[in-house]
Amino acid sequence: MSRGSVLLRASALLLLVAFVTAPDLFAPVFEPLTVNGAPAIYNQGSLLTLTLAHLATVFGATLASTVVAVLLGIFVTRPMGMEFLPLSRSLVNIGQTFPPIAVLAIAVPLVGFGAKPTLIALFLYGLLPIFENTLTGLTQVSPLTLEAAKGMGMSPSRRLLEVELPLAMPIILAGIRLSVVINLGTATIGSTVAAKGLGEVIIAGLQSNNTAFILQGGAVVALLAILIHDLFMTAERTMARKLGGVAATS
């Protein structure tokens, strides 16, 4: 990564932190977007609290999606689970088949308002990319590598934990990255069912016709998505380089 790129990302992070911790400093920037003396900065709650709640919802759902999708991916790539691959694909596609707003409508009567229906919707929506990348990563491990590990006396569980998963991890991380970035934007709809998050800012702007509020909520979500995307990309590249070095010296 070039020095310019690092400086640009560091500047974006500092801007984001400054805005959510001291938003009033940016009031002059947003005042031209307001009419009839409306507030320029969202004043119905703490932007920092809403941002942290938004991230907690997204990462909580992604963690659950990751555990389920990776375990399912491992299962269907074992001899005893291969016949369940079509069924597994159908199950993880449910989240993509039904839009998150439809999942919310079904979940609210079952679990009530708040974060729970949003977590369910994001969990289902995040399964597919992680599952498919887990499959891709595990099935692309070289048979020669697996034979070598078997020849060293490794048990199937050791081969999985010490060979297959480490080699597949960059691809699995790419699936997790895609899931997180998608869910960062999707989580804004959670505010329609009283879940805390940056959707509150956007909805407040829509209800009051305040463009400044809409832009603030959207900008924070966009910056979060860019920064988290870059963080995962850096982790993927670092892991891929390490694996390439190991392969080159083995």
Side-chain angles (χ1 to χ4, degrees), residues 60-93:
T62 303
L63 177 61
S65 296
T66 300
V67 171
V68 172
V70 171
L71 289 177
L72 193 58
I74 292 171
F75 175 67
V76 298
T77 54
R78 306 304 99 182
M80 64 178 179
M82 287 182 177
E83 62 182 294
F84 295 99
L85 177 56
L87 175 61
S88 300
R89 275 210 165 101
S90 298
L91 290 174
V92 299
N93 266 299

PDB file of all heavy atoms in Angstrom, residues 60-93:
ATOM      1  N   GLY A  60     -22.112  -8.373  15.502  1.00  0.00           N
ATOM      2  CA  GLY A  60     -22.778  -9.476  16.184  1.00  0.00           C
ATOM      3  C   GLY A  60     -23.419 -10.430  15.194  1.00  0.00           C
ATOM      4  O   GLY A  60     -23.275 -11.661  15.293  1.00  0.00           O
ATOM      5  N   ALA A  61     -24.129  -9.861  14.206  1.00  0.00           N
ATOM      6  CA  ALA A  61     -24.764 -10.695  13.181  1.00  0.00           C
ATOM      7  C   ALA A  61     -23.723 -11.395  12.320  1.00  0.00           C
ATOM      8  O   ALA A  61     -23.875 -12.575  11.968  1.00  0.00           O
ATOM      9  CB  ALA A  61     -25.677  -9.831  12.309  1.00  0.00           C
ATOM     10  N   THR A  62     -22.640 -10.679  11.981  1.00  0.00           N
ATOM     11  CA  THR A  62     -21.596 -11.277  11.139  1.00  0.00           C
ATOM     12  C   THR A  62     -20.880 -12.409  11.864  1.00  0.00           C
ATOM     13  O   THR A  62     -20.533 -13.424  11.246  1.00  0.00           O
ATOM     14  CB  THR A  62     -20.584 -10.206  10.703  1.00  0.00           C
ATOM     15  OG1 THR A  62     -21.266  -9.155  10.011  1.00  0.00           O
ATOM     16  CG2 THR A  62     -19.524 -10.801   9.785  1.00  0.00           C
ATOM     17  N   LEU A  63     -20.653 -12.253  13.150  1.00  0.00           N
ATOM     18  CA  LEU A  63     -20.014 -13.321  13.923  1.00  0.00           C
ATOM     19  C   LEU A  63     -20.861 -14.587  13.885  1.00  0.00           C
ATOM     20  O   LEU A  63     -20.350 -15.691  13.642  1.00  0.00           O
ATOM     21  CB  LEU A  63     -19.800 -12.871  15.367  1.00  0.00           C
ATOM     22  CG  LEU A  63     -19.210 -13.918  16.324  1.00  0.00           C
ATOM     23  CD1 LEU A  63     -17.831 -14.369  15.846  1.00  0.00           C
ATOM     24  CD2 LEU A  63     -19.125 -13.351  17.744  1.00  0.00           C
ATOM     25  N   ALA A  64     -22.166 -14.427  14.105  1.00  0.00           N
ATOM     26  CA  ALA A  64     -23.063 -15.583  14.055  1.00  0.00           C
ATOM     27  C   ALA A  64     -23.086 -16.193  12.658  1.00  0.00           C
ATOM     28  O   ALA A  64     -23.040 -17.425  12.502  1.00  0.00           O
ATOM     29  CB  ALA A  64     -24.472 -15.165  14.476  1.00  0.00           C
ATOM     30  N   SER A  65     -23.148 -15.355  11.627  1.00  0.00           N
ATOM     31  CA  SER A  65     -23.140 -15.854  10.242  1.00  0.00           C
ATOM     32  C   SER A  65     -21.849 -16.606   9.942  1.00  0.00           C
ATOM     33  O   SER A  65     -21.859 -17.652   9.278  1.00  0.00           O
ATOM     34  CB  SER A  65     -23.285 -14.692   9.250  1.00  0.00           C
ATOM     35  OG  SER A  65     -24.514 -14.040   9.384  1.00  0.00           O
ATOM     36  N   THR A  66     -20.738 -16.085  10.436  1.00  0.00           N
ATOM     37  CA  THR A  66     -19.437 -16.708  10.180  1.00  0.00           C
ATOM     38  C   THR A  66     -19.351 -18.084  10.810  1.00  0.00           C
ATOM     39  O   THR A  66     -18.918 -19.052  10.170  1.00  0.00           O
ATOM     40  CB  THR A  66     -18.301 -15.812  10.709  1.00  0.00           C
ATOM     41  OG1 THR A  66     -18.351 -14.537  10.053  1.00  0.00           O
ATOM     42  CG2 THR A  66     -16.946 -16.451  10.468  1.00  0.00           C
ATOM     43  N   VAL A  67     -19.760 -18.192  12.056  1.00  0.00           N
ATOM     44  CA  VAL A  67     -19.701 -19.487  12.749  1.00  0.00           C
ATOM     45  C   VAL A  67     -20.545 -20.524  12.011  1.00  0.00           C
ATOM     46  O   VAL A  67     -20.083 -21.638  11.711  1.00  0.00           O
ATOM     47  CB  VAL A  67     -20.168 -19.340  14.215  1.00  0.00           C
ATOM     48  CG1 VAL A  67     -20.320 -20.707  14.869  1.00  0.00           C
ATOM     49  CG2 VAL A  67     -19.184 -18.486  15.000  1.00  0.00           C
ATOM     50  N   VAL A  68     -21.780 -20.159  11.689  1.00  0.00           N
ATOM     51  CA  VAL A  68     -22.691 -21.110  11.037  1.00  0.00           C
ATOM     52  C   VAL A  68     -22.213 -21.444   9.628  1.00  0.00           C
ATOM     53  O   VAL A  68     -22.159 -22.621   9.227  1.00  0.00           O
ATOM     54  CB  VAL A  68     -24.127 -20.546  11.005  1.00  0.00           C
ATOM     55  CG1 VAL A  68     -25.035 -21.437  10.164  1.00  0.00           C
ATOM     56  CG2 VAL A  68     -24.676 -20.425  12.420  1.00  0.00           C
ATOM     57  N   ALA A  69     -21.853 -20.424   8.845  1.00  0.00           N
ATOM     58  CA  ALA A  69     -21.478 -20.651   7.450  1.00  0.00           C
ATOM     59  C   ALA A  69     -20.178 -21.440   7.330  1.00  0.00           C
ATOM     60  O   ALA A  69     -20.064 -22.333   6.472  1.00  0.00           O
ATOM     61  CB  ALA A  69     -21.349 -19.309   6.728  1.00  0.00           C
ATOM     62  N   VAL A  70     -19.201 -21.132   8.159  1.00  0.00           N
ATOM     63  CA  VAL A  70     -17.920 -21.855   8.092  1.00  0.00           C
ATOM     64  C   VAL A  70     -18.100 -23.307   8.523  1.00  0.00           C
ATOM     65  O   VAL A  70     -17.593 -24.232   7.874  1.00  0.00           O
ATOM     66  CB  VAL A  70     -16.845 -21.147   8.936  1.00  0.00           C
ATOM     67  CG1 VAL A  70     -15.586 -22.016   9.049  1.00  0.00           C
ATOM     68  CG2 VAL A  70     -16.489 -19.796   8.324  1.00  0.00           C
ATOM     69  N   LEU A  71     -18.826 -23.528   9.616  1.00  0.00           N
ATOM     70  CA  LEU A  71     -19.060 -24.904  10.064  1.00  0.00           C
ATOM     71  C   LEU A  71     -19.835 -25.703   9.008  1.00  0.00           C
ATOM     72  O   LEU A  71     -19.527 -26.868   8.740  1.00  0.00           O
ATOM     73  CB  LEU A  71     -19.824 -24.907  11.390  1.00  0.00           C
ATOM     74  CG  LEU A  71     -19.037 -24.446  12.620  1.00  0.00           C
ATOM     75  CD1 LEU A  71     -19.927 -24.436  13.856  1.00  0.00           C
ATOM     76  CD2 LEU A  71     -17.821 -25.340  12.861  1.00  0.00           C
ATOM     77  N   LEU A  72     -20.825 -25.053   8.393  1.00  0.00           N
ATOM     78  CA  LEU A  72     -21.595 -25.726   7.345  1.00  0.00           C
ATOM     79  C   LEU A  72     -20.724 -26.006   6.127  1.00  0.00           C
ATOM     80  O   LEU A  72     -20.816 -27.080   5.512  1.00  0.00           O
ATOM     81  CB  LEU A  72     -22.795 -24.859   6.962  1.00  0.00           C
ATOM     82  CG  LEU A  72     -23.894 -25.516   6.119  1.00  0.00           C
ATOM     83  CD1 LEU A  72     -24.456 -26.741   6.828  1.00  0.00           C
ATOM     84  CD2 LEU A  72     -25.007 -24.504   5.856  1.00  0.00           C
ATOM     85  N   GLY A  73     -19.853 -25.046   5.793  1.00  0.00           N
ATOM     86  CA  GLY A  73     -18.937 -25.244   4.668  1.00  0.00           C
ATOM     87  C   GLY A  73     -17.971 -26.390   4.913  1.00  0.00           C
ATOM     88  O   GLY A  73     -17.670 -27.176   4.004  1.00  0.00           O
ATOM     89  N   ILE A  74     -17.478 -26.485   6.151  1.00  0.00           N
ATOM     90  CA  ILE A  74     -16.599 -27.603   6.500  1.00  0.00           C
ATOM     91  C   ILE A  74     -17.351 -28.926   6.383  1.00  0.00           C
ATOM     92  O   ILE A  74     -16.840 -29.904   5.828  1.00  0.00           O
ATOM     93  CB  ILE A  74     -16.042 -27.414   7.930  1.00  0.00           C
ATOM     94  CG1 ILE A  74     -15.077 -26.221   7.969  1.00  0.00           C
ATOM     95  CG2 ILE A  74     -15.351 -28.687   8.412  1.00  0.00           C
ATOM     96  CD1 ILE A  74     -14.652 -25.830   9.376  1.00  0.00           C
ATOM     97  N   PHE A  75     -18.571 -28.946   6.896  1.00  0.00           N
ATOM     98  CA  PHE A  75     -19.351 -30.188   6.904  1.00  0.00           C
ATOM     99  C   PHE A  75     -19.587 -30.720   5.494  1.00  0.00           C
ATOM    100  O   PHE A  75     -19.405 -31.919   5.226  1.00  0.00           O
ATOM    101  CB  PHE A  75     -20.691 -29.950   7.608  1.00  0.00           C
ATOM    102  CG  PHE A  75     -21.622 -31.124   7.569  1.00  0.00           C
ATOM    103  CD1 PHE A  75     -21.325 -32.293   8.258  1.00  0.00           C
ATOM    104  CD2 PHE A  75     -22.801 -31.062   6.834  1.00  0.00           C
ATOM    105  CE1 PHE A  75     -22.191 -33.387   8.207  1.00  0.00           C
ATOM    106  CE2 PHE A  75     -23.661 -32.148   6.782  1.00  0.00           C
ATOM    107  CZ  PHE A  75     -23.352 -33.313   7.471  1.00  0.00           C
ATOM    108  N   VAL A  76     -19.976 -29.836   4.566  1.00  0.00           N
ATOM    109  CA  VAL A  76     -20.323 -30.327   3.225  1.00  0.00           C
ATOM    110  C   VAL A  76     -19.100 -30.595   2.364  1.00  0.00           C
ATOM    111  O   VAL A  76     -19.240 -31.111   1.244  1.00  0.00           O
ATOM    112  CB  VAL A  76     -21.277 -29.336   2.502  1.00  0.00           C
ATOM    113  CG1 VAL A  76     -22.582 -29.197   3.262  1.00  0.00           C
ATOM    114  CG2 VAL A  76     -20.617 -27.986   2.286  1.00  0.00           C
ATOM    115  N   THR A  77     -17.906 -30.263   2.845  1.00  0.00           N
ATOM    116  CA  THR A  77     -16.694 -30.627   2.109  1.00  0.00           C
ATOM    117  C   THR A  77     -16.044 -31.883   2.684  1.00  0.00           C
ATOM    118  O   THR A  77     -15.004 -32.311   2.191  1.00  0.00           O
ATOM    119  CB  THR A  77     -15.671 -29.477   2.113  1.00  0.00           C
ATOM    120  OG1 THR A  77     -15.408 -29.064   3.467  1.00  0.00           O
ATOM    121  CG2 THR A  77     -16.180 -28.283   1.311  1.00  0.00           C
ATOM    122  N   ARG A  78     -16.652 -32.460   3.711  1.00  0.00           N
ATOM    123  CA  ARG A  78     -16.204 -33.764   4.227  1.00  0.00           C
ATOM    124  C   ARG A  78     -16.975 -34.861   3.493  1.00  0.00           C
ATOM    125  O   ARG A  78     -18.108 -34.644   3.047  1.00  0.00           O
ATOM    126  CB  ARG A  78     -16.466 -33.900   5.725  1.00  0.00           C
ATOM    127  CG  ARG A  78     -15.909 -32.806   6.662  1.00  0.00           C
ATOM    128  CD  ARG A  78     -14.423 -32.597   6.530  1.00  0.00           C
ATOM    129  NE  ARG A  78     -14.154 -31.441   5.671  1.00  0.00           N
ATOM    130  CZ  ARG A  78     -12.940 -31.025   5.341  1.00  0.00           C
ATOM    131  NH1 ARG A  78     -11.883 -31.696   5.770  1.00  0.00           N
ATOM    132  NH2 ARG A  78     -12.775 -29.965   4.571  1.00  0.00           N
ATOM    133  N   PRO A  79     -16.406 -36.040   3.367  1.00  0.00           N
ATOM    134  CA  PRO A  79     -17.102 -37.127   2.661  1.00  0.00           C
ATOM    135  C   PRO A  79     -18.508 -37.399   3.187  1.00  0.00           C
ATOM    136  O   PRO A  79     -19.437 -37.640   2.405  1.00  0.00           O
ATOM    137  CB  PRO A  79     -16.175 -38.331   2.889  1.00  0.00           C
ATOM    138  CG  PRO A  79     -14.815 -37.728   3.040  1.00  0.00           C
ATOM    139  CD  PRO A  79     -15.035 -36.427   3.765  1.00  0.00           C
ATOM    140  N   MET A  80     -18.696 -37.327   4.519  1.00  0.00           N
ATOM    141  CA  MET A  80     -20.012 -37.650   5.073  1.00  0.00           C
ATOM    142  C   MET A  80     -21.052 -36.565   4.819  1.00  0.00           C
ATOM    143  O   MET A  80     -22.254 -36.795   4.971  1.00  0.00           O
ATOM    144  CB  MET A  80     -19.893 -37.878   6.586  1.00  0.00           C
ATOM    145  CG  MET A  80     -19.468 -36.654   7.363  1.00  0.00           C
ATOM    146  SD  MET A  80     -19.397 -36.970   9.134  1.00  0.00           S
ATOM    147  CE  MET A  80     -18.850 -35.368   9.760  1.00  0.00           C
ATOM    148  N   GLY A  81     -20.607 -35.367   4.415  1.00  0.00           N
ATOM    149  CA  GLY A  81     -21.557 -34.267   4.261  1.00  0.00           C
ATOM    150  C   GLY A  81     -21.778 -33.801   2.840  1.00  0.00           C
ATOM    151  O   GLY A  81     -22.606 -32.911   2.597  1.00  0.00           O
ATOM    152  N   MET A  82     -21.052 -34.391   1.881  1.00  0.00           N
ATOM    153  CA  MET A  82     -21.136 -33.900   0.501  1.00  0.00           C
ATOM    154  C   MET A  82     -22.547 -33.975  -0.073  1.00  0.00           C
ATOM    155  O   MET A  82     -22.951 -33.112  -0.848  1.00  0.00           O
ATOM    156  CB  MET A  82     -20.169 -34.688  -0.381  1.00  0.00           C
ATOM    157  CG  MET A  82     -18.718 -34.326  -0.158  1.00  0.00           C
ATOM    158  SD  MET A  82     -17.613 -35.254  -1.256  1.00  0.00           S
ATOM    159  CE  MET A  82     -16.029 -34.541  -0.796  1.00  0.00           C
ATOM    160  N   GLU A  83     -23.310 -35.002   0.313  1.00  0.00           N
ATOM    161  CA  GLU A  83     -24.654 -35.155  -0.242  1.00  0.00           C
ATOM    162  C   GLU A  83     -25.603 -34.061   0.243  1.00  0.00           C
ATOM    163  O   GLU A  83     -26.682 -33.874  -0.325  1.00  0.00           O
ATOM    164  CB  GLU A  83     -25.221 -36.525   0.117  1.00  0.00           C
ATOM    165  CG  GLU A  83     -25.378 -36.767   1.607  1.00  0.00           C
ATOM    166  CD  GLU A  83     -25.901 -38.163   1.906  1.00  0.00           C
ATOM    167  OE1 GLU A  83     -27.057 -38.451   1.544  1.00  0.00           O
ATOM    168  OE2 GLU A  83     -25.143 -38.958   2.488  1.00  0.00           O
ATOM    169  N   PHE A  84     -25.197 -33.330   1.304  1.00  0.00           N
ATOM    170  CA  PHE A  84     -26.047 -32.266   1.833  1.00  0.00           C
ATOM    171  C   PHE A  84     -25.730 -30.900   1.224  1.00  0.00           C
ATOM    172  O   PHE A  84     -26.320 -29.896   1.627  1.00  0.00           O
ATOM    173  CB  PHE A  84     -25.903 -32.180   3.350  1.00  0.00           C
ATOM    174  CG  PHE A  84     -26.397 -33.396   4.081  1.00  0.00           C
ATOM    175  CD1 PHE A  84     -25.507 -34.377   4.516  1.00  0.00           C
ATOM    176  CD2 PHE A  84     -27.748 -33.571   4.325  1.00  0.00           C
ATOM    177  CE1 PHE A  84     -25.961 -35.501   5.188  1.00  0.00           C
ATOM    178  CE2 PHE A  84     -28.210 -34.692   4.986  1.00  0.00           C
ATOM    179  CZ  PHE A  84     -27.317 -35.669   5.424  1.00  0.00           C
ATOM    180  N   LEU A  85     -24.820 -30.857   0.253  1.00  0.00           N
ATOM    181  CA  LEU A  85     -24.434 -29.574  -0.344  1.00  0.00           C
ATOM    182  C   LEU A  85     -25.615 -28.852  -0.998  1.00  0.00           C
ATOM    183  O   LEU A  85     -25.815 -27.654  -0.740  1.00  0.00           O
ATOM    184  CB  LEU A  85     -23.307 -29.779  -1.353  1.00  0.00           C
ATOM    185  CG  LEU A  85     -22.844 -28.524  -2.110  1.00  0.00           C
ATOM    186  CD1 LEU A  85     -22.415 -27.428  -1.140  1.00  0.00           C
ATOM    187  CD2 LEU A  85     -21.705 -28.872  -3.072  1.00  0.00           C
ATOM    188  N   PRO A  86     -26.422 -29.500  -1.835  1.00  0.00           N
ATOM    189  CA  PRO A  86     -27.565 -28.774  -2.428  1.00  0.00           C
ATOM    190  C   PRO A  86     -28.534 -28.225  -1.383  1.00  0.00           C
ATOM    191  O   PRO A  86     -29.014 -27.083  -1.497  1.00  0.00           O
ATOM    192  CB  PRO A  86     -28.247 -29.844  -3.300  1.00  0.00           C
ATOM    193  CG  PRO A  86     -27.179 -30.836  -3.592  1.00  0.00           C
ATOM    194  CD  PRO A  86     -26.332 -30.894  -2.360  1.00  0.00           C
ATOM    195  N   LEU A  87     -28.807 -29.019  -0.339  1.00  0.00           N
ATOM    196  CA  LEU A  87     -29.702 -28.555   0.723  1.00  0.00           C
ATOM    197  C   LEU A  87     -29.090 -27.366   1.458  1.00  0.00           C
ATOM    198  O   LEU A  87     -29.785 -26.377   1.753  1.00  0.00           O
ATOM    199  CB  LEU A  87     -29.988 -29.692   1.701  1.00  0.00           C
ATOM    200  CG  LEU A  87     -30.814 -29.331   2.942  1.00  0.00           C
ATOM    201  CD1 LEU A  87     -32.201 -28.829   2.541  1.00  0.00           C
ATOM    202  CD2 LEU A  87     -30.921 -30.528   3.884  1.00  0.00           C
ATOM    203  N   SER A  88     -27.800 -27.438   1.722  1.00  0.00           N
ATOM    204  CA  SER A  88     -27.116 -26.351   2.431  1.00  0.00           C
ATOM    205  C   SER A  88     -27.159 -25.062   1.620  1.00  0.00           C
ATOM    206  O   SER A  88     -27.392 -23.979   2.162  1.00  0.00           O
ATOM    207  CB  SER A  88     -25.664 -26.736   2.719  1.00  0.00           C
ATOM    208  OG  SER A  88     -25.601 -27.892   3.523  1.00  0.00           O
ATOM    209  N   ARG A  89     -26.957 -25.180   0.316  1.00  0.00           N
ATOM    210  CA  ARG A  89     -27.008 -23.992  -0.549  1.00  0.00           C
ATOM    211  C   ARG A  89     -28.407 -23.380  -0.527  1.00  0.00           C
ATOM    212  O   ARG A  89     -28.557 -22.153  -0.514  1.00  0.00           O
ATOM    213  CB  ARG A  89     -26.624 -24.364  -1.978  1.00  0.00           C
ATOM    214  CG  ARG A  89     -25.124 -24.351  -2.233  1.00  0.00           C
ATOM    215  CD  ARG A  89     -24.838 -23.994  -3.677  1.00  0.00           C
ATOM    216  NE  ARG A  89     -23.439 -23.645  -3.851  1.00  0.00           N
ATOM    217  CZ  ARG A  89     -22.521 -24.466  -4.350  1.00  0.00           C
ATOM    218  NH1 ARG A  89     -22.859 -25.688  -4.719  1.00  0.00           N
ATOM    219  NH2 ARG A  89     -21.276 -24.068  -4.488  1.00  0.00           N
ATOM    220  N   SER A  90     -29.412 -24.218  -0.525  1.00  0.00           N
ATOM    221  CA  SER A  90     -30.790 -23.713  -0.481  1.00  0.00           C
ATOM    222  C   SER A  90     -31.054 -22.968   0.824  1.00  0.00           C
ATOM    223  O   SER A  90     -31.707 -21.923   0.832  1.00  0.00           O
ATOM    224  CB  SER A  90     -31.782 -24.865  -0.625  1.00  0.00           C
ATOM    225  OG  SER A  90     -31.635 -25.513  -1.869  1.00  0.00           O
ATOM    226  N   LEU A  91     -30.520 -23.503   1.921  1.00  0.00           N
ATOM    227  CA  LEU A  91     -30.742 -22.876   3.226  1.00  0.00           C
ATOM    228  C   LEU A  91     -30.061 -21.514   3.320  1.00  0.00           C
ATOM    229  O   LEU A  91     -30.659 -20.540   3.787  1.00  0.00           O
ATOM    230  CB  LEU A  91     -30.228 -23.794   4.346  1.00  0.00           C
ATOM    231  CG  LEU A  91     -31.040 -25.074   4.588  1.00  0.00           C
ATOM    232  CD1 LEU A  91     -30.348 -25.958   5.611  1.00  0.00           C
ATOM    233  CD2 LEU A  91     -32.458 -24.736   5.048  1.00  0.00           C
ATOM    234  N   VAL A  92     -28.790 -21.427   2.894  1.00  0.00           N
ATOM    235  CA  VAL A  92     -28.079 -20.152   3.026  1.00  0.00           C
ATOM    236  C   VAL A  92     -28.580 -19.124   2.027  1.00  0.00           C
ATOM    237  O   VAL A  92     -28.347 -17.918   2.197  1.00  0.00           O
ATOM    238  CB  VAL A  92     -26.551 -20.332   2.882  1.00  0.00           C
ATOM    239  CG1 VAL A  92     -26.010 -21.252   3.961  1.00  0.00           C
ATOM    240  CG2 VAL A  92     -26.172 -20.838   1.499  1.00  0.00           C
ATOM    241  N   ASN A  93     -29.269 -19.581   0.981  1.00  0.00           N
ATOM    242  CA  ASN A  93     -29.836 -18.643   0.005  1.00  0.00           C
ATOM    243  C   ASN A  93     -31.114 -17.990   0.497  1.00  0.00           C
ATOM    244  O   ASN A  93     -31.595 -17.040  -0.127  1.00  0.00           O
ATOM    245  CB  ASN A  93     -30.119 -19.361  -1.314  1.00  0.00           C
ATOM    246  CG  ASN A  93     -28.964 -19.238  -2.287  1.00  0.00           C
ATOM    247  OD1 ASN A  93     -28.602 -18.137  -2.692  1.00  0.00           O
ATOM    248  ND2 ASN A  93     -28.376 -20.366  -2.650  1.00  0.00           N
TER     249      ASN A  93
END
